[in-house]
Every structure is written in C-alpha cells, then in structure tokens.
Amino acid sequence: MCLAVPVRIIEIKGQVGRVELGGVLRDISLALTPEAQLGDFVLVHTGFAISVLDEDEAQETLKLFAELEESWDQAEADASDDANRSKGLSASGDADASSDASDVVGETDA
Amino acid sequence: MTYIQGFRNPTAARHLIERIRATATAPVRVMEFCGGHTHAIMRYGLREALAPGVELLSGPGCPVCVSASADIDQAIELSLRPDMTVATFGDMIRVPGTRTSLQGARAEGGDVRVVYSALDALELARTLPERQVVMLGIGFETTAPTVAAAAAQARAEGLPNISFYSMHKLTDPAMRAILDAGEVRLNGVLGPGHVAAITGWQAWEFLPREYGVPCAVSGFEPTDILQALLALVESHAERSPRVINSYGRGVTPGGNAVAQGLMGQVFQVAAAAWRGIGVIPASGLELSEAFADLDARRRFDLPDVTEGPLDAEAALGCHCGEVLRGVTLPPDCALFGTTCTPAHPVGPCMVSAEGACAAHYRYGGETL
C-alpha cells in the first residue's frame, strides 16, 4: 500500500509533472513537492510525488555497494589463495570490511 | 542514474548478509513494520538467508489488513445505495467485511470503482454529477496527504457531490500499542521508508528514547533492507539504540513539510479501530472541522465504528490479529494454506499482496 516508485520528471506544467512509469507516460501531481524541478527523480505514490530523491545520497549508497563488491572480490581471492595454500577456509578480510560498512551507514544517518 | 537496479546489487547483498551473520551472534528479533517490507523480505528470500541470527516478524503496517470490518461494512452499505458511487484504491476491493467484500458488493449491483489516485475520484464526481461519490481514505501517513490534497482541491473547485470516508491510520500509535502490550520483545524495528518520507525519520526517535529499541528507516530494495538490518544488529550489539536513516535518498530528518501541513488542515487525530488489535486512542485521522462538509461519515450520518464489533474472521479460527501483532507467524495458523489461500482468503492478511500471510504463501514455501 505504501508502494512508491522512483521516476524522473520529464515535463512540468503548473502542479502537474509528466513522468514515464513502466514505459507509459503519466501525469502526476506535484502538489506535495512544489520544489520538484524538471529532471528530478521523485518517489511517486498514488499519483502524487511525495519526495524529491537526493541524488548525492543515492550515489553515496551506490558507492558503498561498489566498495562492498570490491572487498568481496578481494575476500574471495584471499579465500581461494588460502584454500590453495592450506586447504582451509578463511573469512579473512571481514573485520576490515565491517568497519567500512558501518562508517558508511553512519554517513547516511541525519 | 539508476534508482532501482543499483539497489538490487547481488554481490553487495551477499556481502551485507555475511556482515549481518557475523554481527548477529545471538538471535536479534526485528519487526518490519511495513507490509511492503514483508513482501520484499519474502520475495528476495532474506528471511531464510538471515535465520537464525535475525528473526524477522511482520508488523501491523498493512493498511488494508488493519481496516476494521465495520468500516468495510459501511463502505459496502454506501455502495449499495442508489445514486451512490464508492471509489477505492484497488488493494481494498477483496478484503472481507462481515458479510462480503466491496467486490462482492459490486456483484450485488453496488457501484464500486477502483482508482489509482484520490484525484481520480474527483474526476468521477465531475463526470457523474447526478451521483454522490465517496472516496475511501485508506493508508498511513504516506497516503493520507494525497487524499488531503484531493479534498483540498475538491473544496477549491466547490465540487458538491464528493466526500471522503477516512480510515487513515497513524503508524507510531500502533507501534507503541504493540510494545506496550508486552506480547513480543523486540531488539529492533525496520522503519517504514515511505511513511518516513512524509513524517521524517526523527518521528521514530520515540523508539530508542522511550523503549530502548533501535530503529533503522529503510527503503524497499533488497540492499536497502539489508543495509538497514546491518545497522540494527550493529546498534543492538553496541547497546546504543538510535534511529538510523538507511534511506537517505528519500528520507530527511523532518520529512515533507508541505504534506504534513496539508494533512493538518484536512484531518484531525481521532481514535481508530484496528483490525486484530482493537481500538487505539489517537491513532487515526478523521476529517477536521474545517472539512466537515466533505466528511462522508457526517454527510450520510454513519455510526461510529470504534464502538462496534471489530473482527468477524477471528470466530472462524483466523489468527490475523496475532500475525499483525508479531505474536504468531502465518504458517502457525491452522487455516494457513488449507482453508485460507489468496484465492479464498479468510482474513485480511491473506488478501493484500503485502499481507504477511499472502507473502508467506507466495514466497515462503511453507505450504509445499
């Protein structure tokens, strides 16, 4: 019920924004987000934009995921090296990754 | 910029799961308040992936599931009156009242229309000037401002034949009611991201402050949820309960001030009947005095549902109430997957796709 989807505003006429939703052009109300600009991404819920998405915050989170991916690849490589060396499994690298992850979660706070 | 695929990154998800498993050395019990989260958690298999370190319980955040049957009965009765049209969001149409559903009422000749937006109900009123259109206001703080905006526009246009039947509910009184009842002990709450887009994440500070329970406000993609759960298990492990905003791209500290202002003009806080929970004081929204003329309850002189019987399905053995309070898991109900299925739901938790029972039935594999 509280489903809301991110869409980009491609046209604005007064309080009405045009967006593409699942391949269909649709008009949504901008009555709750008067600050929305052309090109902004907004969360749309029941035909209304309810929030203008913060691109910097989104990029920050995606950056975290990219870092996770890198550290995962590294951990996999380490684990496979370890396995080759001693036939034992190791979860090495986890401790480093944990402090990275909690830092970034902290950054999205506030 | 992708706002969807980037947040479904499987490698990041796997890594977050490992991190959560490593941090949650003793079981951490988390309630996901929102039905949208329940659906996503089951769909992506997160519940199984995180067990037994994280125990996920569904909460009352499915507006359709917590709508009192007495309210649905009144909507059905309105739809069967001559010259009357009831407009509703689609989620509500199959939810059973005492005798039937709005869909059943339509089969009996009732005029029930499904709308995508509350503004569509205004358009119905414009095109059907000879009929009275009643828009059912369903949903939490996410949806209430959209209905408020439609009511404000109806007022501005002077539309004479539209009114609003508010079943809107507020999230924090329900969360408090569950914690105050003491039936379930929680180590964390996954906060509803789209409610918080309106209220702001600071609205959830009562959880750590008054109950010592951390809350992580979360988006709805799998990595959003995992990131929030990681923050919760870390907060629990550090014994430093706080609110963490894990949905920074959509949620600000104070929320949407325009939406809050509009809600405050059109609605006022009132007692509300929650299916499966009971009447909770100051937990719902009714039309304010300034908008009394657009209040369907007053226009058609409808009785107050907070004084009547609430749940018809409990007598049939349905445990939806316990599921909504996090006391019972769907597969533990004797009706689950036997007499109660999405095609033939007994209680509301099996009707809505966001209902915990429907999500378990569809994705949980418990019926196989």
Side-chain angles (χ1 to χ4, degrees):
Chain A
M1 180 83 209
C2 288
L3 182 73
V5 287
V7 290
R8 187 159 183 249
I9 301 173
I10 55 177
E11 197 182 316
I12 294 183
K13 276 185 189 159
Q15 279 200 334
V16 177
R18 177 154 286 199
V19 299
E20 191 187 317
L21 204 56
V24 179
L25 288 178
R26 201 160 190 144
D27 287 338
I28 59 160
S29 171
L30 303 177
L32 302 177
T33 55
E35 74 278 21
Q37 304 283 323
L38 194 66
D40 280 349
F41 276 88
V42 289
L43 281 174
V44 174
H45 171 69
T46 66
F48 285 80
I50 58 164
S51 172
V52 179
L53 288 167
D54 184 328
E55 190 169 346
D56 291 341
E57 285 279 356
Q59 295 287 9
E60 197 62 42
T61 310
L62 291 175
K63 209 171 95 191
L64 158 72
F65 295 158
E67 285 165 12
L68 284 175
E69 198 156 357
E70 276 172 30
S71 62
W72 177 269
D73 290 346
Q74 190 56 49
E76 293 267 279
D78 290 350
S80 109
D81 284 354
D82 288 349
N84 287 341
R85 270 197 299 274
S86 64
K87 294 186 180 174
L89 286 174
S90 162
S92 67
D94 262 7
D96 292 345
S98 75
S99 57
D100 286 347
S102 56
D103 284 353
V104 180
V105 171
E107 276 171 32
T108 61
D109 199 352
Chain B
M1 181 71 203
T2 161
Y3 278 96
I4 294 180
Q5 286 311 323
F7 297 91
R8 292 181 183 171
N9 178 335
T11 312
R14 276 198 295 273
H15 198 101
L16 287 164
I17 288 168
E18 288 304 317
R19 287 279 306 108
I20 292 168
R21 281 182 182 157
T23 311
T25 45
V28 180
R29 184 177 288 173
V30 174
M31 175 175 276
E32 80 268 8
F33 184 93
C34 177
H37 281 146
T38 302
H39 182 83
I41 285 165
M42 296 303 295
R43 179 178 175 192
Y44 294 107
L46 303 184
R47 202 183 142 72
E48 295 301 311
L50 297 173
V54 178
E55 187 188 345
L56 288 160
L57 297 176
S58 301
C62 165
V64 166
C65 305
V66 295
S67 292
S69 17
D71 272 325
I72 296 168
D73 291 346
Q74 297 213 117
I76 288 168
E77 195 264 317
L78 287 174
S79 78
L80 293 167
R81 292 189 191 184
D83 306 325
M84 199 91 131
T85 295
V86 168
T88 177
F89 295 122
D91 309 53
M92 190 55 125
I93 192 137
R94 291 177 60 232
V95 180
T98 309
R99 181 179 67 80
T100 184
S101 62
L102 284 162
Q103 183 171 266
R106 190 148 68 174
E108 293 172 17
D111 189 5
V112 180
R113 315 280 182 107
V114 172
V115 292
Y116 165 67
S117 163
L119 294 175
D120 297 342
L122 268 57
E123 185 57 24
L124 270 177
R126 288 184 207 107
T127 54
L128 302 169
E130 73 289 358
R131 300 184 71 83
Q132 281 287 332
V133 176
V134 177
M135 173 70 203
L136 303 182
I138 307 153
F140 296 121
E141 294 92 336
T142 319
T143 317
T146 72
V147 174
Q153 190 170 326
R155 158 66 54 78
E157 285 182 33
L159 274 175
N161 61 327
I162 186 152
S163 57
F164 297 84
Y165 185 108
S166 175
M167 304 181 210
H168 288 300
K169 292 183 171 57
L170 301 170
T171 48
D172 64 316
M175 195 68 248
R176 286 172 188 275
I178 284 171
L179 291 168
D180 290 342
E183 291 179 305
V184 57
R185 294 186 69 82
L186 300 175
N187 305 122
V189 169
L190 195 68
H194 293 148
V195 165
I198 302 294
T199 64
W201 62 258
Q202 287 172 338
W204 291 84
E205 283 188 318
F206 72 93
L207 278 172
R209 193 177 55 229
E210 297 174 36
Y211 294 93
V213 175
C215 172
V217 172
S218 174
F220 293 82
E221 298 301 338
T223 50
D224 285 326
I225 294 171
L226 289 168
Q227 199 188 359
L229 289 173
L230 175 59
L232 281 178
V233 296
E234 285 177 345
S235 180
H236 177 64
E238 293 160 10
R239 300 190 189 283
S240 63
R242 59 189 186 275
V243 178
I244 303 110
N245 181 17
S246 299
Y247 197 22
R249 65 187 184 279
V251 175
T252 57
N256 184 330
V258 174
Q260 291 169 18
L262 206 49
M263 254 199 300
Q265 282 172 37
V266 174
F267 295 116
Q268 62 194 23
V269 175
W274 294 64
R275 201 163 182 156
I277 298 176
V279 174
I280 306 176
S283 69
L285 295 172
E286 63 182 15
L287 276 283
S288 66
E289 293 308 319
F291 281 79
D293 57 315
L294 292 179
D295 186 352
R297 294 178 202 262
R298 287 184 249 200
R299 185 177 291 186
F300 303 108
D301 201 21
L302 302 172
D304 182 0
V305 305
T306 58
E307 289 166 5
L310 295 177
D311 313 321
E313 62 276 2
L316 303 171
C318 168
H319 284 76
C320 196
E322 286 90 332
V323 169
L324 290 166
R325 302 198 301 273
V327 179
T328 295
L329 288 172
D332 296 335
C333 174
L335 307 187
F336 178 82
T338 54
T339 47
C340 184
T341 64
H344 297 285
V346 175
C349 299
M350 189 58 96
V351 176
S352 168
E354 290 180 356
C357 296
H360 274 259
Y361 185 89
R362 187 161 178 197
Y363 302 114
E366 288 103 341
T367 54
L368 300 176

